[in-house]
């Protein structure tokens, strides 16, 4: 069994605190074969919607080289990023990407609601009623669709992200069932563009997405591209539930999952 965690955040991200070296040490101790660092990179200022200035890639690359030097041959390390909320300004995002160093992997994701919600981060979305909650999910999926149409990334991250915050943090018991048509449309766009999806282990909580949507993706995708990532923001979560989510993929009919090198998918048997 090949074990990889392709979504985690080091102290280069504004919401995490461990070094890449500490994360890599935790991955090696957990028996992982491969790790891909995917720190946050957004076209907007963290915590707001103003466009950010040039990104200092040297901080990211220096941290990565330090981890590689410390780990040697103990584990395969890749450098990627989580490209969040590019839909706020695609032109600005493309300028940002033009200055990026060579990367192995890019996760495209949406964390913020639209201008209708003043760019509210899903973490802070606190609806008063179930219908308000579903309105927010609809807004989120619309943003995801726009991001997918742009398509300058390798996999779509944590498709059902609103459920992490609404169910786990806010105590709702919501599903995405009423949005089957919208999700199928997103999958169709991704398939047309050769973009995959992420199975986010959600640090051992409800997988994002769960089996319902994994099966739909499997039915629709000619050649499925699925990565596994924990979304770890601390060393203690590195590799969390990766084995269990490989089992889920097998249950949903998948025969392999992917890692990426130089923005190209590499299939690994489940």
């Amino acid at each position: 069994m090949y074990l990889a965690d392709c979504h985690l955040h080091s102290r280069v991200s504004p919401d995490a605190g461990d070094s890449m070296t500490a994360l890599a040490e935790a991955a090696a101790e957990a028996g992982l074969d491969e790790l891909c660092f995917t720190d946050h990179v957004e076209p907007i200022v963290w915590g707001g919607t103003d466009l950010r200035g040039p990104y200092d890639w040297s901080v990211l690359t220096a941290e990565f080289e330090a981890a590689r030097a410390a780990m040697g041959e103990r584990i395969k390390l890749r450098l990627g990023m989580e490209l969040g909320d590019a839909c706020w300004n695609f032109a600005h995002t493309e300028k940002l990407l033009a200055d990026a160093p060579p990367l192995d992997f890019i996760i495209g994701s949406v964390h913020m609601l639209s201008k209708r919600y003043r760019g509210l981060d899903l973490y802070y979305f606190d609806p008063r009623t179930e219908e308000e909650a579903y309105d927010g999910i609809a807004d989120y999926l619309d943003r995801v669709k726009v991001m997918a149409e742009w398509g300058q990334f390798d996999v779509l991250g944590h498709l059902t992200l609103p459920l992490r915050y609404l169910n786990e943090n806010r105590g709702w018991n919501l599903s995405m069932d009423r949005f089957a048509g919208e999700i199928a449309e997103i999958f169709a766009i991704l398939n047309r563009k050769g973009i995959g999806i992420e199975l986010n282990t959600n640090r051992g909580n409800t997988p994002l997405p769960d089996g319902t949507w994994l099966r739909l993706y499997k039915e629709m995708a000619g050649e499925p591209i699925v990565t596994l990532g924990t979304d770890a923001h601390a060393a203690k979560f590195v590799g969390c539930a990766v084995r269990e989510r490989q089992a889920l993929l097998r249950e949903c009919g998948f025969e392999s999952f992917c890692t990426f090198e130089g923005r190209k998918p590499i299939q690994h048997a489940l």
Side-chain angles (χ1 to χ4, degrees), residues 94-123:
E94 289 165 13
K95 290 179 182 177
L96 182 153
L97 290 175
D99 294 328
L103 297 170
D104 291 302
F105 182 49
I106 298 179
I107 300 170
S109 61
V110 173
H111 302 97
M112 300 165 63
L113 298 175
S114 70
K115 291 180 180 179
R116 173 187 167 199
Y117 291 86
R118 299 182 181 178
L120 182 67
D121 192 293
L122 284 166
Y123 182 86

Side-chain angles (χ1 to χ4, degrees), residues 149-166:
E149 288 282 9
W150 177 66
Q152 296 190 33
F153 53 93
D154 302 316
V155 304
L156 176 67
H158 44 52
L159 170 63
T160 54
L161 180 64
L163 300 184
R164 172 189 288 172
Y165 303 118
L166 291 170

